[in-house]
Amino acid sequence: MIKSMTGYGGAKGTSGKLEISVEIKSVNNRYLDCNIKLPRVFASLEETFKALVHENISRGKVDVYISIDSSNTDDIEIRINQPLVKAYVTALRTIAWDNELSSDIRVADLTRFPDILQAEKREIDTEEFGSAVSGVLKSALADLNDMRKREGEKLCGDMSLRLDEIERLTAQAAELSPKSIEEYRKKLEARMQEILQSANIDEARILTEAAIFADKVSISEETVRLNSHISQLREMLKSNEPVGRKIDFLVQEFNREANTIGAKGNDTEMSKIIVDLKAEIEKIREQAQNIE
């Protein structure tokens, strides 16, 4: 089943105590244009995430938002500079001994000295984090594709109805064409009688002129090709592969055949059929812009 290029997907997960949130929005675009927005510290993983998007989406403008919440983490670690502590203790005891002072050293006293305690932020395992985000991104992509499939079903239903109408109008045009030839023959005969003022009209001449006209205005080839295009498009709508560009091209062929039929048509009824036919083709063209 075809998929729409428009959709939204989201998913959440964790990596340790980091909370990961991924949102994906996609809209129509001629080619695949993927933008990944994530914290700068993880910029090195951007290409990995883009490759994952490319595996799941072939066409459209896709924006991926990856946010990290570290408010629940205890990623700050306090380290004690043990060599410096020992050096300060030795120095304090020396001062006390040399000056006959009490050597009662308290922890609070030591912590006042610079560099005794050092706050460090634990480093995040980039590989582990990247794997966790990839998992959440896959879930968000699956959610996005579910929505795109649902939208695709609606597009398919609408386009199928349009194809039914195009097929009906094509059959109507094919049925009308011989009538216009017969009408032309009658008009030609009446005109010749009027000019020659005689009932003895050269029937062979009329038949020849009518045959030339019939060949000139025949739309059999166009209707056959148009019906073939209708069958092709119906098959495309059943495909699980991206077919948006193929449909774009095929709709151009629909228009070409409709224009040719319109150019050959020479009466009001045929003109009306062509107007309705081109209106339906245009609606399919508009819908095709949404297909991946």
Side-chain angles (χ1 to χ4, degrees):
M1 181 63 70
I2 61 171
K3 287 185 286 191
S4 168
M5 282 189 282
T6 303
Y8 171 85
K12 293 184 177 181
T14 59
S15 175
K17 292 187 177 181
L18 293 174
E19 295 183 1
I20 303 166
S21 178
V22 176
E23 288 183 280
I24 308 175
K25 297 177 181 178
S26 66
V27 294
N28 302 351
N29 200 55
R30 190 172 181 183
Y31 303 103
L32 177 61
D33 178 13
C34 178
N35 296 300
I36 307 285
K37 297 182 180 180
L38 73 167
R40 187 177 299 176
V41 68
F42 303 118
S44 61
L45 298 171
E46 182 175 346
E47 291 305 316
T48 300
F49 300 148
K50 275 190 176 182
L52 196 55
V53 172
H54 285 209
E55 290 175 10
N56 290 269
I57 301 174
S58 64
R59 193 178 179 210
K61 186 179 187 306
V62 183
D63 291 312
V64 181
Y65 303 90
I66 300 174
S67 58
I68 311 299
D69 184 356
S70 59
S71 59
N72 294 325
T73 62
D74 51 356
D75 58 347
I76 302 299
E77 184 177 0
I78 303 298
R79 293 187 178 274
I80 303 171
N81 191 333
Q82 292 291 2
L84 191 59
V85 170
K86 290 179 181 179
Y88 274 126
V89 169
T90 299
L92 290 172
R93 284 176 177 170
T94 299
I95 293 172
W97 176 266
D98 292 344
N99 295 279
E100 298 181 355
L101 300 173
S102 170
S103 61
D104 183 14
I105 303 174
R106 293 176 300 176
V107 173
D109 297 328
L110 289 172
T111 57
R112 292 192 181 97
F113 293 112
D115 301 326
I116 291 293
L117 300 177
Q118 297 175 338
E120 296 181 357
K121 193 169 185 176
R122 292 192 184 95
E123 291 187 3
I124 296 175
D125 187 327
T126 304
E127 185 175 346
E128 180 182 341
F129 174 78
S131 177
V133 173
S134 293
V136 179
L137 179 56
K138 287 179 183 178
S139 297
L141 285 167
D143 189 37
L144 171 71
N145 279 329
D146 285 343
M147 182 174 180
R148 292 168 72 224
K149 287 177 183 176
R150 291 194 298 271
E151 292 297 317
E153 288 178 4
K154 294 177 183 178
L155 291 174
C156 184
D158 182 77
M159 293 175 73
S160 294
L161 292 175
R162 305 292 179 193
L163 285 175
D164 290 344
E165 181 63 9
I166 290 172
E167 189 172 43
R168 187 189 70 79
L169 291 168
T170 302
Q172 195 174 343
E175 184 180 348
L176 181 63
S177 184
K179 294 180 182 178
S180 65
I181 296 170
E182 178 60 23
E183 288 176 1
Y184 173 79
R185 191 191 69 79
K186 291 179 179 178
K187 287 180 180 178
L188 180 62
E189 186 175 4
R191 182 62 174 162
M192 290 181 71
Q193 286 180 343
E194 180 183 344
I195 294 173
L196 299 175
Q197 297 293 320
S198 171
N200 298 319
I201 303 299
D202 186 351
E203 188 66 26
R205 176 66 183 275
I206 292 176
L207 290 174
T208 300
E209 292 292 335
I212 293 171
F213 176 77
D215 183 63
K216 182 180 178 181
V217 301
S218 173
I219 61 170
S220 59
E221 291 184 10
E222 288 76 16
T223 55
V224 167
R225 284 195 293 268
L226 201 48
N227 281 316
S228 174
H229 297 336
I230 291 170
S231 297
Q232 289 181 60
L233 185 48
R234 281 178 174 149
E235 287 301 313
M236 287 182 185
L237 294 179
K238 298 175 185 177
S239 175
N240 291 320
E241 300 297 322
V243 292
R245 291 181 188 173
K246 291 182 180 179
I247 293 177
D248 282 342
F249 173 77
L250 190 58
V251 169
Q252 293 177 34
E253 297 301 308
F254 272 74
N255 269 316
R256 184 174 288 109
E257 304 304 338
N259 287 333
T260 304
I261 293 173
K264 290 183 175 182
N266 66 338
D267 59 41
T268 304
E269 193 173 353
M270 182 66 83
S271 297
K272 182 180 182 304
I273 291 173
I274 296 306
V275 168
D276 293 342
L277 183 63
K278 294 186 72 172
E280 294 300 323
I281 293 172
E282 177 60 20
K283 289 171 184 176
I284 287 182
R285 189 196 67 79
E286 291 173 357
Q287 295 290 41
Q289 305 304 309
N290 299 315
I291 296 173
E292 181 182 23

